[in-house]
Amino acid sequence: MLSDQVLYIRNLADCPPSYLDDPGRREFFEIVWLKNEEALHTPQHDFQTLKGHWIYLIPPYRVHQLNKAGKQGVLISFKQELLEDDLKEFLLDVFRIFNLQGEFSCLQVSEAHAESLSAVYQLMYAEYDQDSVNLIMLKALLKVLLLKLIELKEQYFTLQDLNEKRVYEFMMLLEKNYLEERAASFYAGKMGLSAKRLNQILKEKLDKTVVQLIHDRLILEAKRQMIHSEHTIKEIGYNLQFKDRSYFSRFFKTHTGQTAQEFQNQARRYVLKHDNTLYAD
């Protein structure tokens, strides 16, 4: 269903199993907008409330089953190729707002901003729902929507204190380098800090050290590949730069309490059983 599409828009309540199950889904950027609903995660900042307009920005190959049960909202999915004619700077901004912490980015939107975004969305959906779709119009409207989200992300960023900004900077560096660079000194050097100071900041804000966060990122990627790829455990370990399968297997079990094979088998059984859910875990 998705192989010949570059854009997919639905109300969350009407999102069919065929979309959720489609292997092509992993190639899409996903915008999940919950409207006047409780967040699917625990708000981390004092300027956030539990209930409101929440926008989850999920990058490709991070397929999340965001639990939509009883949720009002919309889903907008698009492929990168829809934006490839745009300026490099714009594309980099899009990648940045979607890639926070390597999983997904989340914004809480005020009523005023929600109205502004809704106006653009209504125009997009009206065009998308036509028998003969004007792709140029849809690309332009998608770009407007993304520019508004980039602007919101910048406003959100200014509400955070200096060390939260440093956490954000670290997470962006981690996403780009975690496969090759696993020493605290590398990340600290890029940020102009000592390794000791960077660890202090991360412990204060996230209660984890650089090495623990690198390990978390490796485990996240390992789980993603076990669930959403056909790679063997050996191939996944190789993809993650582990020297041999036994070393990767020990690493995975140490951090999860399960062997890699046990997790993969369990995850595949779960997906088969819950084939029409969006879950956040």
Side-chain angles (χ1 to χ4, degrees):
M1 183 184 71
L2 294 175
S3 60
D4 59 350
Q5 297 193 46
V6 292
L7 182 68
Y8 185 88
I9 303 176
R10 283 290 188 280
N11 285 327
L12 280 179
D14 299 327
C15 189
S18 56
Y19 172 81
L20 304 177
D21 295 339
D22 196 305
R25 178 185 166 208
R26 69 186 68 177
E27 299 177 16
F28 283 72
F29 289 83
E30 293 182 329
I31 302 172
V32 178
W33 180 2
L34 301 183
K35 297 186 174 184
N36 196 28
E37 292 283 355
E38 291 190 358
L40 298 172
H41 70 299
T42 302
Q44 298 179 331
H45 305 283
D46 57 12
F47 55 84
Q48 295 176 319
T49 60
L50 181 59
K51 190 169 184 179
H53 293 273
W54 291 94
I55 293 181
Y56 291 84
L57 304 170
I58 305 169
Y61 299 95
R62 303 288 195 281
V63 177
H64 281 259
Q65 307 297 342
L66 291 165
N67 184 2
K68 66 184 182 66
K71 300 293 186 183
Q72 300 180 78
V74 298
L75 168 73
I76 303 168
S77 301
F78 63 92
K79 284 185 178 177
Q80 180 177 330
E81 63 191 73
L82 201 57
L83 307 176
E84 284 181 345
D85 293 334
D86 279 293
L87 294 173
K88 180 181 178 181
E89 290 77 10
F90 170 67
L91 285 175
L92 289 174
D93 280 340
V94 171
F95 297 157
R96 181 171 56 83
I97 66 169
F98 273 85
N99 277 325
L100 183 62
Q101 298 185 29
E103 298 182 62
F104 59 80
S105 183
C106 179
L107 299 171
Q108 185 171 29
V109 183
S110 68
E111 287 292 339
H113 284 125
E115 286 184 17
S116 177
L117 289 169
S118 185
V120 180
Y121 171 79
Q122 293 301 329
L123 290 171
M124 278 186 65
Y125 187 78
E127 185 60 43
Y128 179 82
D129 202 37
Q130 298 291 323
D131 292 333
S132 179
V133 173
N134 184 331
L135 192 58
I136 295 175
M137 180 74 76
L138 278 174
K139 286 177 66 173
L141 290 167
L142 176 63
K143 184 172 181 179
V144 172
L145 185 74
L146 290 170
L147 284 168
K148 285 183 173 291
L149 292 174
I150 290 166
E151 182 181 42
L152 283 172
K153 186 69 178 180
E154 290 300 322
Q155 292 177 9
Y156 172 87
F157 193 54
T158 62
L159 292 172
Q160 302 176 57
D161 66 27
L162 175 60
N163 283 343
E164 284 180 319
K165 293 176 183 179
R166 285 171 167 166
V167 170
Y168 179 90
E169 183 182 357
F170 168 76
M171 288 301 185
M172 297 305 293
L173 283 169
L174 177 64
E175 180 62 18
K176 293 178 182 177
N177 299 286
Y178 73 93
L179 288 176
E180 292 81 22
E181 301 290 346
R182 301 183 186 178
S185 57
F186 169 82
Y187 297 94
K190 288 286 186 180
M191 296 172 64
L193 300 170
S194 68
K196 180 180 179 180
R197 180 59 183 142
L198 178 57
N199 273 318
Q200 287 174 339
I201 292 168
L202 294 175
K203 281 291 287 184
E204 175 193 339
K205 295 297 183 182
L206 301 178
D207 197 29
K208 292 190 177 182
T209 65
V210 173
V211 171
Q212 287 173 322
L213 288 165
I214 293 170
H215 288 174
D216 286 352
R217 185 65 187 88
L218 287 165
I219 291 296
L220 173 68
E221 182 62 17
K223 287 181 175 180
R224 183 192 68 77
Q225 291 193 30
M226 288 175 200
I227 296 170
H228 302 298
S229 79
E230 298 301 320
H231 294 312
T232 65
I233 301 300
K234 182 178 180 179
E235 289 170 336
I236 292 169
Y238 179 78
N239 292 342
L240 297 179
Q241 311 291 325
F242 285 86
K243 295 177 181 179
D244 56 54
R245 173 173 173 153
S246 61
Y247 179 34
F248 171 62
S249 295
R250 289 195 302 274
F251 175 84
F252 190 90
K253 186 169 185 180
T254 297
H255 289 86
T256 68
Q258 291 179 290
T259 67
Q261 195 64 61
E262 286 171 345
F263 174 83
Q264 189 175 57
N265 293 340
Q266 180 184 2
R268 288 176 174 174
R269 288 195 301 269
Y270 185 95
V271 170
L272 288 173
K273 184 177 179 181
H274 300 80
D275 61 354
N276 186 24
T277 61
L278 289 169
Y279 66 90
D281 197 358

